[in-house]
Amino acid sequence: MKHAYRIVIMALACGACVAHATGVVPETSVVIVNEADGEGSINVKNTDPGPVLLYSSLKDLPEDPAHLLIVTPPVARVDGGKSQLVRFIMDNAEPLKTERFKRVIFEGIPSTEKGKNKVQVTIRQDLPVIIHPRDLDPNREPWTLLKWSRAKDKLTVSNDSAYVVRLDQKFLLEPSGTKLELSKTYILPGEHIEIPVKDDSALAAATQVRLFPATVYGYAVASYDAPLVAVSPAL
């Protein structure tokens, strides 16, 4: 809100200034890179009438900082109404054993017109990038492979599979219907996440967890009830 407020103030101060927002729009909501193909790609369209400089950059997750991809071109001029193909080329030293998760940021910066004052608002698009290993069969329901367990006041979810699982942060303890929340919308291969539960009685009585998963493209699907296993604390 503060950022939007500053833009309004600047526009009023300029008098004859014209607010201008760039509109770079990716053709899909996620980038899929198959190791077997050696690369993946996505078209990004400039929906504005004027040209923009399209900046494309990869962002590693804190949980997985390994360099695996090269994005090209990192910078490109895209005329109004036109599209730019952005490629993601594999740059891994060893074959992948599990799916990997990165993010890509597309930012369109409009060209400056001489003699005109404009408040230019740059809109960034931040998309997930999923890299699929060469020798791993696709799985349309990877959330079914998650393992949920409870002990004392903690709930643990473990992803021992080779797949990235995307899901809504909110989920339910059943049969009580107690609402809980994950810290993020994905669980990486090999991750074990602990979720504190304040309601001890709801956790003790819980027999399953109701998830609201998403496909690899981020589309919500029907809820899924995962079994919940009680684990005795280590002595």
Side-chain angles (χ1 to χ4, degrees), residues 172-178 201-210 228:
L172 306 176
L173 279 181
E174 297 292 358
S176 68
T178 301
S201 59
L203 181 59
T207 57
Q208 60 187 20
V209 175
R210 178 160 295 173
L228 180 58

Side-chain angles (χ1 to χ4, degrees), residues 20 22-24 46 48 50-54 76-80 108-111:
H20 179 76
T22 65
V24 289
N46 174 17
D48 280 355
V52 299
L53 283 179
L54 173 65
R77 175 191 164 100
V78 186
D79 291 329
I109 300 179
S111 59

Side-chain angles (χ1 to χ4, degrees), residues 32 34 39 47 53 59 62 65 90 113 145 152-153 156 175 201 211 214:
I32 304 295
N34 285 300
E39 67 175 85
T47 60
L53 283 179
K59 182 171 68 174
M90 293 294 306
E113 298 181 46
L145 303 176
K152 288 189 175 181
D153 61 345
T156 301
S201 59
L211 314 177

Side-chain angles (χ1 to χ4, degrees), residues 214-226:
T215 67
V216 68
Y217 286 98
Y219 299 117
V221 296
S223 62
Y224 174 75
D225 292 339

